[in-house]
Amino acid sequence: MTALPVVKARQQPLIFREWRPGVELAVGALDIPYPVDSAEVVPEAVLLPMNGWDSGGYRLGYGAGFFDRTLASFSKRPIVIGVSYEQAKLETIHPQPWDIPMDFVVTERGVYRRDPGGLVFLPAPEPGSSGELSSPVCYADEKFFEGKR
């Protein structure tokens, strides 16, 4: 299931509403589209845009604090995946007590996982093997692709 964040009010946690093609969208705060009448859901994983990030997995966001406030409000914290550019890595963002580190950071270089000592880069898997973050190869639809290469 896919969900999109909805700004309910300034300085309040976001809510998430289910989204799929065909769900009506409205334009909300900061001109960000959101689902109008779909069910409110609690995400199991959240993708977050990052303006910058550091080796502790802390995120430099857009300054309004919506995501930190939202993540702190969940009774069960979702997996948090920050998405940024490798070049946006900073020595430190000088995290504040309310800042919540990412569980993973994904850049064009690859994937970092947050361990107790900070972020650890996960190298690409060897050709022909599955890596730490991948599932075994599935050939269920290989007949679909025959002759289409």
Side-chain angles (χ1 to χ4, degrees):
M1 169 191 318
T2 301
L4 296 175
V6 180
V7 175
K8 293 292 281 184
R10 290 182 66 113
Q11 306 218 348
Q12 295 298 311
L14 300 165
I15 64 165
F16 290 83
R17 292 197 180 276
E18 183 180 356
W19 179 85
R20 63 188 176 292
V23 167
E24 181 183 352
L25 297 176
V27 177
L30 306 172
D31 290 329
I32 298 172
Y34 68 93
V36 177
D37 293 322
S38 60
E40 188 173 327
V41 298
V42 176
E44 294 178 17
V46 176
L47 291 174
L48 293 179
M50 301 188 305
N51 286 327
W53 55 285
D54 68 16
S55 60
Y58 289 96
R59 166 187 180 265
L60 181 61
Y62 293 87
F66 280 109
F67 281 110
D68 289 314
R69 200 170 10 264
T70 301
L71 294 172
S73 74
F74 290 129
S75 59
K76 181 182 177 200
R77 186 170 170 233
I79 295 170
V80 184
I81 305 163
V83 180
S84 189
Y85 292 104
E86 191 71 27
Q87 196 169 18
K89 185 175 182 186
L90 306 165
E91 185 175 321
T92 181
I93 69 153
H94 302 285
Q96 301 300 306
W98 57 82
D99 286 327
I100 296 175
M102 305 295 98
D103 296 307
F104 295 91
V105 171
V106 178
T107 72
E108 73 278 10
R109 178 179 179 220
V111 178
Y112 296 81
R113 179 188 63 224
R114 187 172 53 86
D115 284 353
L119 290 179
V120 175
F121 184 71
L122 302 177
E126 294 295 321
S129 69
S130 59
E132 194 169 337
L133 295 177
S134 63
S135 58
V137 176
C138 176
Y139 296 104
D141 290 331
E142 68 183 354
K143 291 187 183 213
F144 173 81
F145 293 105
E146 286 179 9
K148 296 189 179 198
R149 295 178 197 189

